[in-house]
Amino acid sequence: MIARVGSDEIGLDPMSPNETDSFVRLKPRSEWRGDKDLIVEDMRKAMAGLPGIEPSFTQPIEMRVSEMLTGARGDLAVKIFGPDLAMLGELADQVQQILSNVDGASEVLTVANDRVDYLQLDIDRAAAGRFGMPVDRIQDALRAQVEGAHVGIVADGQKRVPIVIRGDEALRTDPARFADLQLHTPTGIIARVSDMARIERTEGPVKLDHENGSRFALVQAFVSGRDLVGYVDEAKAEVGAKVKLPAGYSIVWGGQFENQQRASARLAVVIPIALLLIFFVLLATLRSMRASVLILVNIPFAMVGGIVSLWASGEYLSVPASVGFIALLGIAVLNGLVMVTYFRQLRADGRSMAETVRIGAERRLRPVLMTASITAFGLVPLLFATGPGSEIQRPLAIVVIGGLITSTLLTLILLPILFERFGESAGETDNG
C-alpha cells in the first residue's frame, strides 16, 4: 500500500494538500476470499474506526477522469453555492444526512463543516504607527517567518534550487514565541509582535472553494448496489422536499451521472436516427413498405429479451447496455431480412401463401439459427469477465445474448404468422 499526500509538483492535480491517495495493490485473484465488492467492504470496516479519516474507494483512472470532468471524485457531487460559510456548512450537513439515508449510498463525504486551528493575527495600526512600523512591513516580516522569503537560486548542474529563509519550526508552532518575536522598526527601535498586534487561536474552515465567482460547499457520494441515475433521482426528490434554500443559494448536481445523462441524451437521438436509416435502406432495397415494416417488427422482440436479461442478471440500463441494444437491432433486422426476402422470393415463384410460409420457415431455420448462435457464443466469454473493463463488457453481452434468444424465437415462429396475415400477394411481389 502506497500513500501520496497533497498535490503534485506540476500543480494540475485538483487535490488539496490535506488529501491523501492510498494505492492498494491486491494479491492475485486466485487468493481472494471473495469478489472486489467484498474486499472493499472489508477495507471499509477496517477503516471505520480510524479518527480524522474519511475514506472513499475508487480506482486510479476512474478517479482522475472524475476529477478532470467535475472537480470531484465521487459518483455524485452536490455543489451548494452561496455567500455565507456558516450557512453553506449547515446546508451541506443537511444534504449529507439525506444522501446517507438514501438506499445505495456507500460513502457520503463533505469537508464543509470540518474545522482546523488558525493563529489569527490582527495588526493594531495605531500601535504600529507609534513604533514607526508600516503595516505591510510587519506582514512581510511575519510571512517570511512562517512561509519563508525567497532570497536566491543555487545552480547545481542542470538543477536550479531555490534558497528560502524562514523561521524556526518551533516558532511556527508556538503562539507564545511567535508573539514575543522581535522586529526591527525603521526608526531603529526593537518591538515585539505582541506590542503591535493581537494574536489569538481561532477555528476556521479547512478550505474555501470557489467556482464561477461564488463560494460553494461540496458533498460527495459514492453509490453501490443500485443504479446511479435511480439514486440521484431519489436523492434529488429528498433534498428538494427537506432542504429549504435561503435566497441567494442554489444547488448543482454533478459527478459521474452527468456522463451517463449526456450519453443517454445522445443515444436518444442516435437510436431513432439509426432506425430511420435502417427503414429507408430496407425500403430502397425491397421497394415494399409492407415488407420493410414486417422486418422492423423484430426490433421490439429483441428489446424485450435484452431488458428481461438485464433484470434477471441484476444489471442496470447503463451506457454499455445501450450500445448492446444498438448492436442487437442490426442482428434482429438481419434475421428478419433473411426470412422475409426468401418469403417474397417464393411468392414471386407462384407459391401459395400457406406453402410459402411453411417452406420458407423450414429452409431459413438453419441460417437464422447460425447467425444468432455464432454471435451469442462469441459473447459468452464476456459474461464471465472479471478483469479491468468487465463493467463494460458484461452488460453489453447480457443485452445481446438475451435479445438474440427472444428475437430468434419470435423470428422463427411469429414472423411467418405475421407474413401470412399481412404479407404481399404474388402480384405485389412481382411488381416490387
Side-chain angles (χ1 to χ4, degrees), residues 76 99 102-105 221 223 226-235:
L76 172 62
L99 296 183
V102 176
D103 182 39
V223 181
R226 68 174 297 184
D227 63 303
L228 180 58
V229 175
Y231 174 86
V232 173
D233 290 339
E234 185 177 346

Side-chain angles (χ1 to χ4, degrees), residues 2 26 79 133 158-159 227-228 239 291 309 411 416:
I2 303 171
L26 302 178
K79 295 180 180 180
M133 189 72 163
Q158 294 184 351
K159 286 183 171 181
D227 63 303
L228 180 58
V239 171
S309 61
T411 298

Side-chain angles (χ1 to χ4, degrees), residues 22-88:
S22 298
F23 299 90
V24 181
R25 185 172 182 178
L26 302 178
K27 291 184 177 181
R29 186 175 294 273
S30 59
E31 301 180 27
W32 292 7
R33 292 183 291 108
D35 57 6
K36 186 178 69 174
D37 294 335
L38 178 62
I39 295 175
V40 172
E41 186 62 29
D42 288 344
M43 289 193 292
R44 184 180 290 118
K45 292 178 181 178
M47 301 182 69
L50 299 179
I53 294 178
E54 293 181 338
S56 60
F57 298 89
T58 181
Q59 296 185 9
I61 296 178
E62 178 186 359
M63 178 183 66
R64 291 299 173 225
V65 171
S66 299
E67 288 177 337
M68 288 188 294
L69 292 176
T70 64
R73 62 183 62 184
D75 296 327
L76 172 62
V78 182
K79 295 180 180 180
I80 309 169
F81 290 87
D84 184 65
L85 287 176
M87 179 56 69
L88 286 176

Side-chain angles (χ1 to χ4, degrees), residues 181-406:
L181 184 66
Q182 295 180 344
L183 300 177
H184 289 273
T185 66
T187 58
I189 302 175
I190 296 178
R192 296 185 304 171
V193 173
S194 58
D195 296 331
M196 298 178 290
R198 183 176 67 258
I199 301 176
E200 60 181 359
R201 285 183 178 272
T202 184
E203 284 189 346
V206 173
K207 63 175 181 177
L208 299 177
D209 292 316
H210 288 80
E211 187 174 290
N212 297 326
S214 177
R215 289 177 177 174
F216 73 91
L218 177 64
V219 183
Q220 301 179 79
F222 292 82
V223 181
S224 62
R226 68 174 297 184
D227 63 303
L228 180 58
V229 175
Y231 174 86
V232 173
D233 290 339
E234 185 177 346
K236 282 184 177 181
E238 291 288 330
V239 171
K242 298 179 181 179
V243 177
K244 306 301 180 183
L245 294 178
Y249 291 80
S250 61
I251 292 181
V252 176
W253 298 77
Q256 283 288 346
F257 88 101
E258 284 185 302
N259 301 329
Q260 198 276 343
Q261 285 187 323
R262 282 193 291 265
S264 298
R266 292 192 186 100
L267 289 174
V269 176
V270 169
I271 291 178
I273 293 176
L275 291 175
L276 285 175
L277 291 176
I278 291 173
F279 177 75
F280 287 129
V281 170
L282 290 174
L283 194 61
T285 303
L286 302 176
R287 298 183 180 180
S288 171
M289 178 72 70
R290 191 178 301 182
S292 301
V293 172
L294 282 174
I295 293 174
L296 291 180
V297 167
N298 274 337
I299 291 177
F301 302 148
M303 301 284 282
V304 168
I307 293 173
V308 171
S309 61
L310 282 177
W311 172 79
S313 62
E315 293 286 345
Y316 310 112
L317 184 59
S318 58
V319 174
S322 301
V323 175
F325 277 113
I326 296 177
L328 185 59
L329 298 183
I331 301 172
V333 170
L334 175 61
N335 287 338
L337 181 61
V338 169
M339 187 75 75
V340 172
T341 302
Y342 192 66
F343 285 161
R344 299 178 78 236
Q345 180 181 342
L346 292 176
R347 290 291 287 160
D349 293 339
R351 305 268 186 169
S352 65
M353 183 64 76
E355 188 180 9
T356 295
V357 170
R358 182 180 59 81
I359 296 176
E362 291 176 355
R363 294 181 179 178
R364 285 296 171 260
L365 173 64
R366 184 179 297 174
V368 170
L369 287 179
M370 287 183 62
T371 303
S373 59
I374 290 174
T375 305
F377 286 140
L379 293 175
V380 166
L382 301 186
L383 290 177
F384 304 98
T386 56
S390 60
E391 65 277 3
I392 296 176
Q393 298 169 353
R394 290 189 71 250
L396 188 148
I398 289 171
V399 167
V400 174
I401 293 175
L404 283 177
I405 294 174
T406 58

